[in-house]
């Protein structure tokens, strides 16, 4: 895994790539893909809905190519 910024994570998520987060409570947890929501909301909104908000500092990762 490679650590990336929140902005890079958003870009990867919008492209349909897997994005992972680590917090105080989770380790390399995969954000649910946008199609899991069954929503017509913009992909950017679904990204922000998925990011844990009450678990401390969030670190973003993507898989190495």
């Amino acid at each position: 895994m490679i650590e990336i910024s929140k902005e890079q994570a958003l870009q990867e998520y919008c492209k349909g790539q897997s994005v992972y987060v680590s917090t105080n409570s989770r380790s390399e947890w995969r954000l649910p893909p946008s199609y899991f929501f069954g929503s017509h909301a913009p992909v950017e909104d679904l990204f922000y809905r998925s990011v844990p908000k009450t678990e401390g500092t969030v670190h973003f990762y993507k898989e190495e190519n």
Side-chain angles (χ1 to χ4, degrees), residues 2-20 31 47-48 60-62:
I2 299 172
E3 187 166 2
I4 57 176
S5 69
K6 186 175 187 175
E7 293 76 23
Q8 289 172 310
L10 174 60
Q11 290 174 0
E12 292 291 319
Y13 187 85
C14 289
K15 291 186 219 173
Q17 301 299 313
S18 295
V19 174
Y20 300 83
L31 292 180
F47 171 81
Y48 289 113
F60 297 91
Y61 300 90
K62 70 176 187 174

Side-chain angles (χ1 to χ4, degrees), residues 21-30 50-53 55:
V21 297
S22 290
T23 66
N24 295 342
S25 303
R26 306 172 198 233
S27 179
E28 295 180 357
W29 176 71
R30 182 178 176 216
S50 301
V51 175
K53 293 162 188 59
E55 298 178 12

